[in-house]
Amino acid sequence: MIPVPATTRQSSRWQVLWREAIRDPLALLSAVNLPELASRLSPTAAAQFPLRVPQGYVARMRAGDPADPLLRQVLPLDDEDHLAPGFSLDAVGDAQAKGATGVIHKYDGRALLIATGSCAIHCRYCFRRHFPYAEETAASGGWASAIDFLKSDPSIGEVILSGGDPLSISTPKLAELSDALRALPQIRRLRIHTRLPIVLPERIDSEFLQWAAELRWPVVMVVHANHANEIDESVREACAALRAEGVHLLNQAVLMRGVNDSAEALTALSEALFAAGVLPYYLHQLDRVQGTAHFEVPDFEAKALMAELQAVLPGYLVPKLVREIAGEASKTPL
Ligand SMILES: *Cc1c(COP(=O)(O)O)cnc(C)c1O
Ligand code: SF4
């Protein structure tokens, strides 16, 4: 028998599913039975920010529907080639706000760690599509520069793990961070911004749940679903398991033309989130990032949608409509 080196850790099931993600636009079109959309693909957009989508997420798309709200979020179409005025490469001012390698400190009391540049899914509307975050991660170097940054500013009581998707790194690597944070008495909360419980819910495995259960701070997890169809039984199970460990679950969504720009879609999203044990937190106006103009919903329309939501939903199921404006001290309510 060939001895297995001690350093070879067997892949978790979620890591296998991660690697099996669909990356070829034609393979995706074939999986959803829409070969005729091939002529509308953009090779430029696909080269700049490649397609990536887990098979379990593809299974939630409606086959044969070119307007499917999940498909629209991931398919690199020629709409992206349109260069609209006002849509830039750094729409939210991240290039100026970097505090240390992989740390963005824009708001009082909270520091955001770019844990990693990678994601299980590539969302076409994402402002990170233009960022060289792969070289700017907080996890590289054993989190040391991020910890030094936090030490230098005791006013930071909340650490936000973001990315990329922070749950794309392994649980042992997350444990290195939580171990290092224990030495900082200022930390009162740990927040995790992640889309993985929605797009690859298998990530919430027993190893992760045990890590979450043993953390010494209250944990807030802000997941990211934009449409009710993203929330299926596998997502509800992952959310229930997180809640059983005391994790507070909130959702942030992005308002997008052709995805969720109706009162019906947004109401269904809030209801589906609540049924999964998640409360809506933010509804973001799109960051004006190059290649995303076709998703934009004007502010007057966004506000009218909010008024409709307010009329039919309990207040706690109405998300806050916000925009991120570079240089502001917080997200800006609209
Ligand atoms: C959005 C954001 C936060 C979190 O803001 P909250 O309003 O507390 O959710 C923190 N830091 C940065 C850099 C952000 O972009
Ligand atoms: S950071 Fe979030 S929104 Fe952006 S591509 Fe990754 S998962 Fe999608």
Side-chain angles (χ1 to χ4, degrees):
M1 228 169 83
I2 305 163
V4 179
T7 50
T8 308
R9 202 171 159 270
Q10 219 196 330
S11 289
S12 306
R13 190 170 108 79
W14 71 267
Q15 289 168 317
V16 174
L17 294 170
W18 173 288
R19 286 196 291 270
E20 289 172 353
I22 295 187
R23 291 183 228 192
D24 173 4
L26 292 176
L28 173 59
L29 290 181
S30 147
V32 295
N33 198 21
L34 284 167
E36 68 273 19
L37 275 189
S39 62
R40 290 208 41 222
L41 292 173
S42 165
T44 321
Q48 181 207 56
F49 191 50
L51 172 89
R52 171 176 266 280
V53 55
Q55 310 232 17
Y57 188 84
V58 174
R60 295 173 226 161
M61 295 175 183
R62 290 185 297 247
D65 181 0
D68 179 80
L70 280 56
L71 180 67
R72 276 187 67 92
Q73 293 179 55
V74 298
L75 192 65
L77 289 177
D78 52 15
D79 296 330
E80 295 182 29
D81 299 337
H82 172 60
L83 293 183
F87 283 71
S88 69
L89 293 176
D90 182 16
V92 292
D94 275 1
Q96 294 96 56
K98 217 177 301 143
T101 306
V103 181
I104 299 179
H105 185 208
K106 284 196 206 173
Y107 303 157
D108 265 5
R110 291 147 287 171
L112 191 143
L113 308 195
I114 304 297
T116 166
S118 54
C119 295
I121 188 166
H122 286 171
C123 312
R124 305 314 302 176
Y125 53 87
C126 181
F127 70 88
R128 305 207 193 274
R129 58 187 283 160
H130 299 293
F131 260 78
Y133 275 144
E135 305 140 35
E136 298 281 338
T137 69
S140 54
W143 306 96
S145 67
I147 297 293
D148 285 347
F149 180 82
L150 295 171
K151 268 190 196 144
S152 74
D153 187 347
S155 76
I156 298 170
E158 178 169 344
V159 172
I160 305 174
L161 292 181
S162 185
D165 199 308
L167 294 198
S168 63
I169 59 186
S170 72
T171 303
K173 190 86 191 162
L174 292 172
E176 280 176 25
L177 173 70
S178 50
D179 288 348
L181 288 177
R182 277 170 192 257
L184 304 181
Q186 74 206 60
I187 304 302
R188 296 193 303 278
R189 283 186 294 279
L190 183 67
R191 195 197 310 188
I192 305 174
H193 283 180
T194 174
R195 191 145 154 72
L196 273 171
I198 307 298
V199 303
L200 190 69
E202 295 83 357
R203 175 64 184 93
I204 308 305
D205 59 7
S206 54
E207 186 187 35
F208 179 81
L209 290 164
Q210 191 184 342
W211 172 74
E214 287 169 3
L215 292 171
R216 62 166 58 176
W217 317 275
V219 180
V220 178
M221 188 178 278
V222 183
V223 300
H224 174 179
N226 299 309
H227 193 278
N229 291 3
E230 291 176 49
I231 299 165
D232 70 355
E233 188 52 32
S234 65
V235 172
R236 284 188 288 272
E237 276 170 24
C239 291
L242 288 163
R243 270 166 45 99
E245 302 302 347
V247 175
H248 301 272
L249 293 176
L250 301 171
N251 183 64
Q252 52 184 344
V254 178
L255 180 60
M256 279 177 280
R257 178 73 75 214
V259 173
N260 55 12
D261 59 330
S262 70
E264 296 69 38
L266 292 170
T267 304
L269 174 60
S270 278
E271 293 285 2
L273 287 167
F274 184 77
V278 185
L279 290 177
Y281 179 36
Y282 282 144
L283 179 63
H284 294 271
Q285 268 295 37
L286 189 78
D287 296 319
R288 305 193 89 200
V289 165
Q290 228 173 67
T292 65
H294 57 289
F295 283 126
E296 190 170 55
V297 177
D299 282 357
F300 74 88
E301 201 180 322
K303 288 187 217 169
L305 284 170
M306 293 305 294
E308 285 189 70
L309 290 195
Q310 230 129 21
V312 296
L313 286 171
Y316 57 86
L317 291 188
V318 181
K320 274 186 260 189
L321 178 67
V322 293
R323 154 165 287 129
E324 183 158 354
I325 299 175
E328 294 291 307
S330 70
K331 306 278 186 274
T332 305
L334 295 177

